[in-house]
Amino acid sequence: MGVGVLGTGHYLPTKVVTNKDMEKLVDTTDEWIRTRTGIEERRFAEDDIDTSDMAFYAAKQALEEANVTVDEIDLILTATVTPDTPFPSVSCMIQERLGAKNAAALDVSAACSGFMYGMITAKQFIETNAYKKILVIGAEKLSKITNWEDRSTCVLLGDGAGAAVIGEVSEGKGILSFELGSNGAGGKELYQNEQDMLVMNGREVYKFAVRQMPESTMNVIDKAGLKKEDVDYLIPHQANIRIMEAARERLEISEDRMATTIKKYGNNSAASIPMALSEAAKEGKIKDNDIVVLVGFGGGLTWGAVALRWGK
Ligand code: ACO
C-alpha cells in the first residue's frame, strides 16, 4: 500500500485587498509589489473569523471530498504560526467542532513548511499501522501578526486555510519520497517579536529560499527514482514569484505546470501549499497518476518537500 491524499479542501476569506488598496496604507506601489513579488491581491479574514474558523471550513470540505466520516479520523494535525490561542491548539478546536471523537489532536510549528511536516508526520503513523486516516491542515490569519508600518512585509501576507485527508492509497500511488530539514541558526532572519509582529530580513530569507527550494525539489525527485521530465505539476510555497521561478527553471517545466496562487492570495505561510493543492485538484490541473512535487521553506529556518503520485 501507499500513503497519499484522499481529499482536499480550502477556505478563502471574502475580503479582497488589491495592491492599490495597499498603496493607501503604506508607502508602496502596485508596480513595486507586482514586479518584486508577483502579488496582485490578497485576502484578509474578517474580524470575527479566526484561524480555527478557516481551518474548520477547509477541513470539512476535505472530509467531504475524501468521502471520509469524522469518526474515521484518528489524528488532526494543524500547521500554523497564528493559532487562535497558544493553547488549546487549533487542532483541539477542530476536533470539537467536527465532533471527531476518535481523534487525537496537536498543532505543528514549522512556519511556512508546517504543512509538509504535518503530511510527513501523518505518513509515519499510517505506515506503522497506528492510524488509518489523518486530517492535515495548514491555516493562517497572518493579518493579526502583520506590522502595518513595515512596507517590506505587510504587502506580502494574506489569510486562508487548506486541508488534506491523508490515508492508504494503492501501491505505487501517494508519497514516493520526502525531505525535511532545519537550520536554527537562521531563526533570526524570520520570527515573531515581543509585540507579536512578524519580522523578516527579506534579503537573507530570499538567498536561503532561492537555493533551498530548487535543491529540495531535485532531492525528492532523485529519492523517488524519477527524472525531472517525469514531474507533471509543481506546487511551491507561495512566497515570491522569483523564488518559485528558480525552482521551475531548475525543473525546466512550463509556466502552466506550476501553481501560482501568490498572484491572488499572497503568502499564506503554512496554508499556501494545501490551498494551492486543493485548488489545483479542483481545477483539474492535477490528474490521476500525475507526479506532483510539493516544496516549502520558511521560518525556523525550515524546509520540506514531497514527491507524490496523485490518486487513490
Ligand atoms: N514598496 C516599495 N518599496 C519597498 C517595499 C514596498 N512594499 N518594501 C521594500 N521596499 C524598498 C526597500 O526599502 C529598499 O529600498 P532602498 O534600496 O532604498 O533601501 C528597496 O525596496 C529594495 O529592498 P529589498 O529588500 O532589497 O527588495 P527585494 O528585491 O529583496 O524584495 C522582498 C524584498 C520581496 C521581501 C524579497 O526580499 C523577498 O521576497 N524575500 C523573501 C521573502 C520570503 O520568501 N519570505 C518567506 C517567509 S515569510 C512567510 O512565509 C510568512
Side-chain angles (χ1 to χ4, degrees), residues 27-29 32 36-37 112 151-152 155-157 190 198 200 202-203 205-206 237 239-240 242-243 267 269 297:
D27 180 16
T28 191
T29 60
W32 192 95
R36 297 290 179 118
T37 72
C112 308
R151 65 176 181 171
S152 69
V155 300
L156 307 173
L157 311 171
L190 179 54
L198 181 145
M200 180 172 71
R203 276 181 211 184
V205 176
Y206 188 93
H237 172 46
N240 185 314
R242 292 181 290 151
I243 300 170
N267 179 346
S269 188
F297 66 90

Side-chain angles (χ1 to χ4, degrees), residues 184-228:
K188 61 185 184 305
E189 313 300 354
L190 179 54
Y191 60 95
Q192 191 172 357
N193 67 14
E194 281 173 8
Q195 290 74 43
D196 288 339
M197 304 284 187
L198 181 145
V199 180
M200 180 172 71
N201 180 347
R203 276 181 211 184
E204 284 308 310
V205 176
Y206 188 93
K207 277 195 259 171
F208 152 69
V210 88
R211 175 181 50 79
Q212 191 61 51
M213 204 138 83
E215 194 176 305
S216 295
T217 302
M218 294 313 295
N219 287 347
V220 290
I221 292 170
D222 285 348
K223 281 190 196 172
L226 298 167
K227 297 192 188 66
K228 57 186 178 185

